Amino acid sequence: MKKSSKIVLSVLVAAAVLFGVYRMVNKAPSASLDSNAQMAEIIESSGCMACHAANPELPFYANFPVAGKLVKEDVQLAYRSFDMVPMVEALKKGEKVSEVDLAKVEKVILDGTMPMAKYYLIHWGASLSDTEKQMALAWVKNQREAFYPNLLADAKWSNEAIRPIQDSVAVDMRKVILGNLLFHDVRLSSDNTVSCSSCHGLNTGGVDNKQYSEGVGGQFGGVNAPSVYNAHYNFVQFWDGRAATLADQAAGPPLNPVEMANTSFDEICEKLNADADFAKAFKEVYPDGFNQANITDAIQEFERTLLTPNSRFDKYLKGDDSAMTAEELAGYDLFKKYNCATCHVGENMGGQSYELLGIKHDYFADRGTELTVEDNGRYKETNNERDRHRFKVPGLRNVALTAPYFHDGTQATLDEAVKAMAKYEVGVDLSEQETKQLVAFLQTLTGEYQGKLLTNDNELQK
């Protein structure tokens, strides 16, 4: 070993000893503290924020030639994967923590992968004691019970990160009826050729099964259309999250020059007002008649009814052990093993966070095609460099019906999408058996719409 390396190692070991002694003196949080206070202490003492923050306070040895390079690489990967600042802020305020963040914390504790081994080899006291692990897991469970109650699941699955879809949500049926008509009305487009259902067919899995959807005049957009089914559960809408609500989302396509190409909602209102019967029915619900706010509100209310409960997976979570085969259950085990269930959470199994496409490998370099504006993802809205190539996580419900996949529609089949996600997000090359099992599990996520198993007419016609 070179003399310089020995010096570096000696300094690091000395630092580790000092830190370890500190942690030995300062034991696990007091059992008398509430769960949030315990978790706050655990995060601080285990050094989480040394990596999972935008501007971490790097240790002095981060400037050393050998150790420093490793430290900076680890910090960069950690921050790209999980920014813990919002979680810590919510924790200190006693507010609800993102269920994605809860799932990530739970997973690394159960796996024993955090703090990283090479981190606590340097910071001996950073490794979590069994008591701290149990406190952290109890905190996750308490958060779920308080803010994400899993009331439909069987008791043994009540702490799962995924919840069964509700049969229905409370809506105003008068608005739903109007929204249904508007959702299928081509008069929302400038040339009366395109409706919402043109790209989000209810008979084709809530999508159009095209890489890019076709708008007025045969123009094509630059992003794959996500499913409208279960969009009610998404925390924002669109891949880049530019719409806060379903109503905001409904206002986008009519004014998009490629999709419906109106210059304003006044054009749409003029056409709809010319339909005396429809105008009369609309005013019975919205006395001030047609305008952007009322049109999008009605569409939003209709889209809130587009739920697909009672998939075989949901039935399994509700306690029907016969609802899934051994192969499908093996796929669910892999789904959790390979961290899929840390981002694909909640009722829609996604739609609750923005995540980077290409954590472990450079997806866009491997894709080999020119970058587009849409490839920027959330960065389009924030101009924050961390958000470049970061997208709202798509929901996985009915995913077997919604090919092609990814924001760019490049993955033609579920097999391709599963392999790509494992490679670029987890750094794993799946075996053929693992791929088959994961796909089998994903095929159990097809639910029912209006009491019937959802199907895709495009698939039936093949």
Side-chain angles (χ1 to χ4, degrees), residues 339-354:
N339 301 335
C340 310
T342 59
C343 299
H344 293 285
V345 300
E347 291 90 348
N348 201 20
M349 298 180 66
Q352 303 306 314
S353 66
Y354 303 107

Side-chain angles (χ1 to χ4, degrees), residues 122-142:
I122 301 302
H123 303 276
W124 289 357
S127 59
L128 299 181
S129 68
D130 288 342
T131 300
E132 289 173 315
K133 290 178 182 177
Q134 292 307 311
M135 285 180 171
L137 293 175
W139 170 76
V140 170
K141 185 177 181 180
N142 289 342

Side-chain angles (χ1 to χ4, degrees), residues 85-265:
V85 172
M87 184 187 84
V88 171
E89 291 177 349
L91 175 61
K92 290 180 178 179
K93 295 176 183 177
E95 299 172 350
K96 78 174 178 181
V97 170
S98 159
E99 55 186 318
V100 172
D101 291 354
L102 295 175
K104 288 180 178 180
V105 169
E106 181 181 56
K107 182 63 163 60
V108 297
I109 291 175
L110 290 173
D111 288 352
T113 53
M114 287 289 161
M116 294 175 65
K118 56 185 174 181
Y119 183 83
Y120 62 71
L121 283 175
I122 301 302
H123 303 276
W124 289 357
S127 59
L128 299 181
S129 68
D130 288 342
T131 300
E132 289 173 315
K133 290 178 182 177
Q134 292 307 311
M135 285 180 171
L137 293 175
W139 170 76
V140 170
K141 185 177 181 180
N142 289 342
Q143 280 276 320
R144 287 192 180 132
E145 289 176 346
F147 299 110
Y148 309 102
N150 200 351
L151 303 178
L152 295 179
D154 186 78
K156 63 184 175 182
W157 302 119
S158 62
N159 192 43
E160 287 291 278
I162 300 169
R163 298 185 294 280
I165 288 178
Q166 301 160 270
D167 288 337
S168 63
V169 294
V171 292
D172 184 331
M173 285 307 301
R174 301 175 307 157
K175 293 182 177 181
V176 169
I177 293 169
L178 295 175
N180 187 1
L181 293 171
L182 289 167
F183 185 85
H184 294 89
D185 198 327
V186 295
R187 289 175 294 185
L188 267 62
S189 63
S190 61
D191 64 355
N192 301 327
T193 62
V194 178
S195 70
C196 302
S197 62
S198 299
C199 303
H200 301 284
L202 302 187
N203 62 332
T204 54
V207 298
D208 55 11
N209 299 123
K210 299 176 181 178
Q211 180 178 17
Y212 302 129
S213 297
E214 186 174 354
V216 299
Q219 300 179 89
F220 286 91
V223 69
N224 185 252
S227 177
V228 72
Y229 281 115
N230 306 305
H232 161 73
Y233 292 114
N234 294 336
F235 82 129
V236 292
Q237 306 299 329
F238 291 120
W239 287 97
D240 57 17
R242 65 184 183 273
T245 67
L246 286 169
D248 292 338
Q249 187 281 326
L255 303 182
N256 186 294
V258 173
E259 296 180 61
M260 293 181 170
N262 295 288
T263 58
S264 74
F265 263 80

Side-chain angles (χ1 to χ4, degrees), residues 197-329:
S197 62
S198 299
C199 303
H200 301 284
L202 302 187
N203 62 332
T204 54
V207 298
D208 55 11
N209 299 123
K210 299 176 181 178
Q211 180 178 17
Y212 302 129
S213 297
E214 186 174 354
V216 299
Q219 300 179 89
F220 286 91
V223 69
N224 185 252
S227 177
V228 72
Y229 281 115
N230 306 305
H232 161 73
Y233 292 114
N234 294 336
F235 82 129
V236 292
Q237 306 299 329
F238 291 120
W239 287 97
D240 57 17
R242 65 184 183 273
T245 67
L246 286 169
D248 292 338
Q249 187 281 326
L255 303 182
N256 186 294
V258 173
E259 296 180 61
M260 293 181 170
N262 295 288
T263 58
S264 74
F265 263 80
D266 291 341
E267 297 177 36
I268 299 171
C269 295
E270 184 178 351
K271 286 189 285 185
L272 296 178
N273 272 316
D275 185 336
D277 290 337
F278 192 21
K280 179 182 178 182
F282 198 84
K283 285 185 178 180
E284 289 178 358
V285 180
Y286 297 96
D288 53 340
F290 293 114
N291 56 48
Q292 178 176 331
N294 291 343
I295 290 170
T296 57
D297 180 69
I299 293 174
Q300 171 178 254
E301 199 72 354
F302 167 64
E303 290 184 342
R304 294 181 67 225
T305 70
L306 300 180
L307 307 181
T308 59
N310 299 318
S311 68
R312 288 196 291 118
F313 178 58
D314 281 347
K315 292 176 181 178
Y316 176 78
L317 291 180
K318 292 177 182 179
D320 183 356
D321 292 338
S322 67
M324 294 173 65
T325 67
E327 181 179 52
E328 292 160 354
L329 289 172

